Structures are given as C-alpha cells and as structure tokens.
C-alpha cells in the first residue's frame, strides 16, 4: 500500500520552492564546471567519450535552467508544461548526440582514450549527482512539481553516463574492449528517449505510484498518482 502524501501547507510549499531553486542552482553550477573540465580534458586526450560527457552536462544545464525559470514565478504551476517541454527536448538532444557518437565509435572512430582527469571527474559525478537528484526528487514530489521530478531524473541520467564513461575507459584500458563504451551509451540513449517521452506527456511522476490525495469533501485530486500539483483553495 503506497503512502498518501499530505497536501503541503502554504509555508511548507514556500520552503520546498526555495529548496528546489537552491538545488537547481547547485546543479547548474556543478554542470557548468563539469562541462568545461570534460570538454577540455577530452580535447587534450582526443577522447570523444569525454567531450560527449561534457556536452551532456550542457544539456543538463538547459534542463535545470528550465526549472529555475519556472520557479522564478510566484505561480510556478502555470509554467509547468513549458518547463516539461524544454526538459523533454533536452532528453531528446542528449539521446541523439549519444547515439551518433556511439555509432561513430562502433564504426572505429572516436574511441575513448585514457584520461586521469576524466576518470576523476566521472568518479566525482557518481557521488555528487545522485545526491542532488534524490534531494530534488523528494522536494518535487512533496510539492507536486512534475518538472522538478523530471529534472531530477535528467540529473540521475547524468549519473548513469558517468558510470558508462568509467566502465568504458576501464574496460578499454584493461581488456582492449573498445566497443564497451558505445554499447553502454546506446542503452543510455534508449533510456533518455523514454524519459523524454514521459516528460513531453507530463507523466514523469507516474514512475513511482503514489496514492491519490483526497480532499475534505471526498473528491480526489486531478492526478491519480498523487504527484501532480494538489488542488489549492480557490483554484479551479
């Protein structure tokens, strides 16, 4: 039996909005640094994988910026659909780039090369990104913001790419398996497409079933999974 999430009080909603803005700011800051380091290290090492990892960070910045824009408004719910569309497009862009890069690698071009800087960066991302993703996902669910949850999943996808980068470099370095990185990247691309479709439809919250809220008059909220924004007094 899934737990029922209570409708947050106005004061609690204000706290959650501030928390999401701070988490989004932290995500943007980290990804800007990550993008600069990864692209620079990838260029110096002629590593397509590292450059691609850096470009993924740029996509994540676009997704987080969409949520920051949404929550810059007092009535953030009105910007929900537009923010979700930007997040969905960022997923599709990421999937397209990763697929093209993986196919090139499988055809013998752009194989991942060793880079100590890249390995350290990927390892740091494996620790930092899941923490940011989990914190934003919890706040987004409690607030009932589909876009905040969608952006948290974009951040989590970056974690998977960090693992792919580490695994690909390690397997290629230890066993000469140059195909390991592009094959794993194709799996990530497929996941990105699925996440993008869910964000475009606005059903990202439904990934984790939650019991529907019940209003005092016995009527449920408009979203049966309990993740969509709860009805507010005086709003239709």
């Amino acid at each position: 039996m899934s737990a029922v999430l209570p409708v947050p009080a106005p004061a609690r909603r204000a706290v959650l909005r501030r928390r999401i803005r701070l988490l989004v700011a932290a995500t943007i800051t980290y990804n800007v640094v990550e993008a600069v380091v990864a692209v620079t290290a990838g260029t110096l090492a002629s590593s397509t994988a590292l450059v691609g990892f850096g470009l993924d960070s740029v996509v994540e910045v676009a997704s987080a910026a969409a949520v920051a824009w949404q929550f810059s408004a007092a009535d953030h719910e009105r910007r929900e659909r537009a923010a979700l569309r930007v997040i969905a497009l960022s997923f599709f862009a990421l999937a397209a780039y990763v697929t093209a890069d993986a196919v090139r690698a499988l055809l013998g071009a752009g194989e991942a090369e060793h880079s100590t800087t890249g390995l350290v960066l990927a390892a740091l991302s494996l620790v930092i990104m899941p923490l940011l993703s989990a914190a934003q996902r919890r706040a987004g669910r409690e607030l009932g913001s589909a876009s905040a949850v969608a952006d948290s999943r974009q951040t989590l996808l970056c974690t998977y790419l960090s693992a792919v980068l580490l695994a690909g470099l390690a397997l290629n370095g230890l066993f000469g398996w140059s195909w390991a990185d592009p094959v794993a990247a194709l799996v990530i691309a497929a996941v990105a497409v699925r996440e993008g479709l869910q964000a475009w439809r606005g059903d990202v919250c439904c990934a984790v079933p939650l019991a529907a809220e019940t209003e005092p008059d016995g009527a449920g909220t408009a979203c049966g999974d309990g993740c969509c924004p709860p009805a507010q007094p005086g709003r239709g």
Side-chain angles (χ1 to χ4, degrees):
M1 187 82 171
S2 299
V4 176
L5 294 181
V7 178
R12 178 60 178 171
R13 290 174 64 81
V15 170
L16 291 170
R17 285 195 293 268
R18 287 195 298 271
R19 182 176 301 171
I20 289 174
R21 285 196 295 266
L22 288 173
L23 289 169
V24 167
T27 299
I28 291 175
T29 301
Y30 181 81
N31 276 279
V32 167
V33 174
E34 185 179 68
V36 172
V37 173
V39 171
T40 301
T43 301
L44 292 175
S46 299
S47 172
T48 305
L50 263 175
V51 172
F53 185 70
L55 292 178
D56 163 69
S57 299
V58 176
V59 172
E60 168 61 16
V61 170
S63 174
V67 178
W69 167 78
Q70 178 193 352
F71 281 88
S72 66
D75 188 6
H76 65 88
E77 288 91 349
R78 293 185 182 277
R79 293 183 174 183
E80 184 91 2
R81 180 171 295 276
L84 281 171
R85 291 297 169 87
V86 172
I87 293 171
L89 290 175
S90 71
F91 271 120
F92 295 147
L94 173 58
Y97 178 83
V98 170
T99 299
D101 187 59
V103 170
R104 287 180 63 245
L106 287 172
L107 293 177
E111 294 183 0
E113 297 181 7
H114 177 75
S115 171
T116 301
T117 301
L119 289 171
V120 172
L121 180 64
L124 284 175
S125 295
L126 279 175
V127 175
I128 295 173
M129 301 307 271
L131 297 176
L132 288 173
S133 175
Q136 186 173 341
R137 185 169 61 251
R138 284 194 300 268
R141 283 177 174 169
E142 185 177 351
L143 184 61
S145 172
S147 61
V149 174
D151 185 57
S152 75
R153 293 172 69 163
Q154 171 73 281
T155 302
L156 190 60
L157 186 61
C158 292
T159 303
Y160 300 152
L161 283 174
S162 301
V164 166
L165 179 63
L166 276 175
L169 291 175
L171 291 175
N172 189 25
L174 292 174
F175 306 108
W177 294 354
S178 60
W179 50 264
D181 181 76
V183 168
L186 288 175
V187 175
I188 295 297
V191 174
V193 170
R194 186 192 67 182
E195 300 289 349
L197 290 173
Q198 288 183 341
W200 188 269
R201 293 193 300 262
D203 60 358
V204 292
C205 294
C206 299
V208 179
L210 297 173
E213 303 292 349
T214 301
E215 299 298 331
D217 60 0
T221 58
C223 181
D225 66 2
C227 187
C228 295
Q232 296 298 307
R235 300 184 64 165

